[in-house]
Amino acid sequence: MSLVTDEWAYALCGGTAATESFTFGSATVVMGDAGTLIIVEAGDALDRSCVWNADEVRVLGPAPTPVRKRLVEEPWEWGADDTKLPIHLAVRNSEDLVYLGTGSVTRAGTVLRPGSDEHVLTDCVLRLASPLRQPGLDRVRPPLPSADLPNLEWLGQVNGDRASALEQFITGWHPTTSETAEPPSVQAAVPDLPAGLMQLYRLAQHRPRCLGVQNRILPVAKHQTDPKGEMLVFGEENQGGFFWSLLWTLDGPEADPTVWFREYDEPPIAEQEPLSGFLIQFSLYEASMGADYVARSCQLTAQQVDLLTERLLPVPLRPFRPGAPTRFYVAPGLVLHVSDGGGDNGFSAWAGATHRSALAPLADVPIEWDQFDG
């Protein structure tokens, strides 16, 4: 990365006179016959275009139509010399323009414009060709101020009062999304569900994300029985690849029933924890998967997993998900889940955090990260 002038940067696209410039939010996109230049402002925010981590720049829309076409619909546009048009990335830092190098679009989101058949670019992730070193990253993405992180008081209740553990974790991790009066309890309408599941639905009235962002606990109205009428299906994988169910009985719910995992048309397999432990595991998994700040790595060895988890506290529950046994480790504001892929696949790890600073215990672990938002 280096300091450059605006004139130098615009020349990368063909010069000021030969380019179009579009500014939206905290991003400016310059397009010319020689390439594209994307300039974001220095800073760190979830709702603004910025350098996201050492490898990524994120651009948030809505972006003008020409920008969408250049970044999404015309990614294979060829220049006069038969090479793909480059995308240059830079950061406006006070009065300076810091050039980061080139990058490529790795992910883009679009939505259909209301009343139209045209899509609008809502967000775009670009991966830098050369990752930033920490001093340079701190320069263009100044560290966020410290924040109060969710505590771990719930952890001491995991093998005691699991209902309290579940409530403490969910209320500590998920902010409320509504200040309205408490809606009528679902318990009045559905008295035959186990108490643990009823508790989760009550918590979800003001914290709907606790029902899942990757996989999900189904709304009560969408509960169904399996084809044989023996199981009550209450949760499912995001693409319908597997689901969770409880034994359906007319005698009323068990206090803490077995949860059954079923994949496609395979026979059901019992989760190792009953519903009380399963709901804690489900909540931890979804909290990490849906976090704003993520660290993830695949193909880890057992020795690397030991290094990764040595500064964290294990959650004292038996493995989650029979298909890919998963264990959980935590620190304030951090949930890490480690899944065993079996055989030569090794282990995969995914950490989610409520604040960048919560990823600090993982920063110095000598493993290769696929993504690290610290």
Side-chain angles (χ1 to χ4, degrees), residues 270-301:
E271 288 278 357
Q272 294 195 47
E273 290 290 339
L275 183 65
S276 60
F278 167 86
L279 292 176
I280 294 173
Q281 293 173 319
F282 176 88
S283 299
L284 291 168
Y285 188 87
E286 294 302 312
S288 61
M289 294 299 294
D292 292 319
Y293 306 101
V294 167
R296 57 185 178 88
S297 184
C298 299
Q299 297 289 314
L300 299 175
T301 65

Side-chain angles (χ1 to χ4, degrees), residues 69-79 83-85 104-105:
K69 290 183 176 180
R70 173 60 68 95
L71 296 181
V72 179
E73 294 186 1
E74 303 169 3
W76 308 114
E77 186 74 22
W78 294 86
T83 59
K84 192 168 67 172
L85 293 176
S104 57
V105 175

Side-chain angles (χ1 to χ4, degrees), residues 111-367:
V111 296
L112 194 63
R113 189 187 301 276
S116 170
D117 59 358
E118 181 182 24
H119 283 78
V120 177
L121 179 64
T122 57
D123 58 277
C124 184
V125 176
L126 300 108
R127 189 171 187 87
L128 290 163
S130 298
L132 302 175
R133 297 183 180 275
Q134 194 63 48
L137 179 59
D138 290 342
R139 180 178 181 182
V140 296
R141 194 205 66 187
L144 288 170
S146 59
D148 292 332
L149 300 175
N151 63 48
L152 298 179
E153 291 182 10
W154 60 271
L155 189 59
Q157 300 290 333
V158 166
N159 282 324
D161 187 346
R162 288 185 171 179
S164 293
L166 179 67
E167 182 163 0
Q168 289 174 17
F169 173 75
I170 288 176
T171 56
W173 187 278
H174 296 285
T176 57
T177 59
S178 171
E179 297 299 329
T180 60
E182 188 82 351
S185 171
V186 295
Q187 190 166 7
V190 190
D192 56 347
L193 290 177
L197 203 51
M198 296 302 308
Q199 178 193 24
L200 185 67
Y201 286 125
R202 287 194 295 270
L203 291 168
Q205 288 173 346
H206 293 303
R207 295 173 171 84
R209 286 176 68 86
C210 75
L211 292 182
V213 294
Q214 173 74 9
N215 308 315
R216 64 174 184 155
I217 300 296
L218 295 169
V220 174
K222 293 189 176 181
H223 284 188
Q224 56 186 306
T225 56
D226 70 347
K228 294 183 178 181
E230 298 174 345
M231 299 284 188
L232 178 70
V233 178
F234 71 92
E236 66 179 7
E237 192 255 352
N238 65 327
Q239 295 180 339
F242 59 79
F243 55 86
W244 290 288
S245 59
L246 303 172
L247 186 64
W248 179 253
T249 173
L250 297 177
D251 298 328
E254 295 181 47
D256 196 12
T258 298
V259 176
W260 294 91
F261 171 95
R262 187 168 187 173
E263 190 171 14
Y264 303 108
D265 295 326
E266 297 295 321
I269 304 173
E271 288 278 357
Q272 294 195 47
E273 290 290 339
L275 183 65
S276 60
F278 167 86
L279 292 176
I280 294 173
Q281 293 173 319
F282 176 88
S283 299
L284 291 168
Y285 188 87
E286 294 302 312
S288 61
M289 294 299 294
D292 292 319
Y293 306 101
V294 167
R296 57 185 178 88
S297 184
C298 299
Q299 297 289 314
L300 299 175
T301 65
Q303 291 76 17
Q304 289 174 316
V305 170
D306 289 341
L307 290 174
L308 188 60
T309 60
E310 64 182 3
R311 297 183 186 178
L312 308 179
L313 295 175
V315 178
L317 293 169
R318 288 166 290 189
F320 174 60
R321 295 198 309 162
T326 299
R327 295 187 180 275
F328 297 91
Y329 304 83
V330 295
L334 174 73
V335 174
L336 169 72
H337 68 259
V338 178
S339 299
D340 185 350
D344 296 334
N345 294 323
F347 298 85
S348 62
W350 183 299
T354 58
H355 190 272
R356 285 198 197 279
S357 63
L359 292 171
L362 310 180
D364 298 328
V365 181
I367 64 174

